[in-house]
Amino acid sequence: MSKLRLKISMSLDGFVAGPHQSPENPLGIGGTRLHEWVVPLTAWRAVHGLEGGEVNASSRVVEESTANIGATVMGRNMFGGHPGAWDARDPWKGWWGTNPPFHHPVFVLTHHAREPLVLEGGTTFTFVTGGIEDALQQARRAAGGKDISLAGGAKAAQQYLAAGLVDEMEIHLAPTLLGAGERLFDGVGDDLHGLTLVRTVAAPTVTHLKFARPKS
Amino acid sequence: MSKLRLKISMSLDGFVAGPHQSPENPLGIGGTRLHEWVVPLTAWRAVHGLEGGEVNASSRVVEESTANIGATVMGRNMFGGHPGAWDARDPWKGWWGTNPPFHHPVFVLTHHAREPLVLEGGTTFTFVTGGIEDALQQARRAAGGKDISLAGGAKAAQQYLAAGLVDEMEIHLAPTLLGAGERLFDGVGDDLHGLTLVRTVAAPTVTHLKFARPKS
């Protein structure tokens, strides 16, 4: 069966976003420091339509994280815009412009129903009001046998982790403190539901920690 | 000048001790999971007077962490026993028996004055009521040019980190969740005071993250 794979950047003190997130500052104060390791990489720049960049130990981790993904699940906060009901006249269309870097179906967890949003390049955002299992089921159907990426943010990740539905987790640990914001593991408890450290990749400014379930 | 070196085991969700610490359960619920990686090592067992054990990628990290240490600083909670004033008739003598594994002067941060406790094998516990800088100064004098180990617990580490007094920090990241307890970075803010990731050692069940200040 296709896997649900969480990948997320986290600070040394456990935050995946800084405090005071807003449409102008979607990652919160200091949050961009979580992603400084990825922006220079050729593997990341290519996906975002940018040329150049560098190759280092992180490159294969980024390439692997986008390989064999057939659908994405994300929380409303990551899709972004504003809290509450969608603006009927000019609904928020995501952070990624007219041709988002997903190129596959994306399922957005939300309390507010909305028609699917079809953008260029194969990315369709479907808004799911039925909860995390419903979203996962729809994503699994859409992925056609490939894996599903759990893109974040914190609250979506927490719900899937607490329910034991995550099959693989790659934490990009940024060696920095945010001091406040959204913690990845808030409310998850002390149970990783069998997720075990299976690989550590040391890069100059980030440590990649991959967790998976041992094959039974 | 001699360095203040913090080494501490931390869970993936940032805890260095579990909840409900007590004399019977000094690491709190689940806290022993933080140290499972070290107990099988020959390098650890030898220091604690035990034979046998194994050698793996963690061994040199443990050996390095005890090398060139001339004194130790720890918090009252790590020295342990009970909160409040010392029992005048039968004062707590630490967790480590009559011949503790330090073999050098140890300075304990406390609000409660007490005569030094001289034990076997070169370990003397000196109780410092003058705060973290006073304890560091005393430890530096006693270390005779060698480095000072900051042994924990959380509150002592937080105070030295927040004050920017830690010169080296090695975090033994245990790939497990505790869900509650004492967080290493609580109240430290978002500033590592120049501490930068300088080395990552991947062992099977722990990741060692070493931070230091770049040489100026």
Side-chain angles (χ1 to χ4, degrees):
Chain A
M1 195 160 77
S2 70
K3 292 178 188 156
L4 181 63
R5 291 158 47 188
L6 168 64
K7 59 168 198 289
I8 198 156
S9 292
M10 182 177 91
S11 67
L12 188 62
D13 51 348
F15 296 100
V16 293
H20 307 298
Q21 289 173 274
S22 68
E24 293 72 40
N25 198 359
L27 298 169
I29 293 172
T32 54
R33 282 194 276 137
L34 297 174
H35 303 274
E36 275 171 8
W37 64 273
V38 77
V39 176
L41 297 178
T42 303
W44 186 88
R45 297 175 65 84
V47 171
H48 290 79
L50 301 167
E51 290 182 10
E54 60 185 64
V55 173
N56 65 32
S58 296
S59 300
R60 71 176 169 110
V61 175
V62 172
E63 285 160 8
E64 185 185 282
S65 75
T66 54
N68 196 41
I69 295 292
T72 289
V73 173
M74 65 173 65
R76 159 70 186 268
N77 205 32
M78 182 164 179
F79 182 71
H82 50 80
W86 305 103
D87 185 329
R89 283 181 314 162
D90 183 21
W92 175 259
K93 294 184 177 64
W95 309 103
W96 303 275
T98 55
N99 188 355
F102 301 99
H103 311 296
H104 56 230
V106 179
F107 296 85
V108 180
L109 296 159
T110 172
H111 295 292
H112 303 279
R114 175 174 166 182
E115 289 299 303
L117 173 65
V118 182
L119 295 178
E120 295 169 22
T123 300
T124 297
F125 292 98
T126 300
F127 300 88
V128 181
T129 56
I132 61 167
E133 299 202 26
D134 183 19
L136 179 56
Q137 205 168 36
Q138 291 194 45
R140 193 159 269 149
R141 222 153 33 218
K146 290 187 175 181
D147 292 339
I148 298 130
S149 167
L150 175 53
K155 286 191 178 58
Q158 288 157 9
Q159 289 180 68
Y160 282 105
L161 284 168
L165 292 170
V166 175
D167 301 300
E168 249 184 53
M169 171 171 80
E170 182 122 18
I171 294 179
H172 311 302
L173 192 73
T176 188
L177 301 182
L178 291 189
E182 303 260 355
R183 282 201 166 93
L184 177 57
F185 293 110
D186 248 8
V188 173
D190 65 353
D191 189 354
L192 278 174
H193 296 275
L195 291 173
T196 303
L197 182 66
V198 294
R199 185 185 69 186
T200 303
V201 174
T205 60
V206 67
T207 307
H208 307 284
L209 303 166
K210 182 176 177 180
F211 292 75
R213 281 181 224 290
K215 289 186 184 74
S216 55
Chain B
M1 195 160 82
S2 70
K3 292 179 189 155
L4 181 64
R5 290 158 48 190
L6 167 64
K7 57 167 199 290
I8 198 157
S9 291
M10 183 177 91
S11 68
L12 189 62
D13 51 349
F15 296 99
V16 294
H20 307 298
Q21 289 173 276
S22 68
E24 293 73 39
N25 197 0
L27 298 169
I29 293 171
T32 54
R33 283 194 276 138
L34 297 174
H35 303 275
E36 275 171 8
W37 64 273
V38 76
V39 177
L41 298 179
T42 303
W44 185 87
R45 298 175 64 83
V47 171
H48 291 79
L50 301 167
E51 289 181 10
E54 60 185 63
V55 173
N56 65 30
S58 297
S59 300
R60 71 178 170 110
V61 175
V62 172
E63 285 160 8
E64 186 184 281
S65 75
T66 54
N68 196 41
I69 295 292
T72 288
V73 173
M74 67 173 62
R76 159 69 186 269
N77 205 33
M78 180 162 180
F79 182 72
H82 50 81
W86 306 103
D87 186 328
R89 284 181 315 164
D90 183 22
W92 175 259
K93 293 184 177 64
W95 309 102
W96 302 276
T98 55
N99 188 354
F102 302 100
H103 312 295
H104 57 230
V106 179
F107 296 85
V108 180
L109 295 159
T110 172
H111 295 294
H112 303 279
R114 173 173 169 185
E115 288 300 302
L117 173 65
V118 183
L119 294 178
E120 294 168 26
T123 301
T124 296
F125 291 99
T126 299
F127 301 88
V128 181
T129 57
I132 59 168
E133 300 202 25
D134 183 19
L136 179 56
Q137 205 168 35
Q138 291 194 43
R140 194 158 268 148
R141 227 160 23 223
K146 290 187 174 181
D147 292 340
I148 299 131
S149 167
L150 175 52
K155 285 194 178 57
Q158 287 159 9
Q159 289 181 68
Y160 282 105
L161 284 168
L165 292 170
V166 175
D167 301 302
E168 251 185 50
M169 171 172 80
E170 183 123 15
I171 294 180
H172 311 303
L173 192 74
T176 188
L177 301 183
L178 292 189
E182 301 261 353
R183 283 201 165 93
L184 177 57
F185 293 110
D186 247 7
V188 173
D190 64 354
D191 189 354
L192 278 173
H193 296 276
L195 290 173
T196 304
L197 182 67
V198 294
R199 186 186 68 187
T200 302
V201 174
T205 59
V206 66
T207 307
H208 306 284
L209 304 166
K210 182 175 177 181
F211 293 74
R213 283 181 222 290
K215 290 187 183 73
S216 55

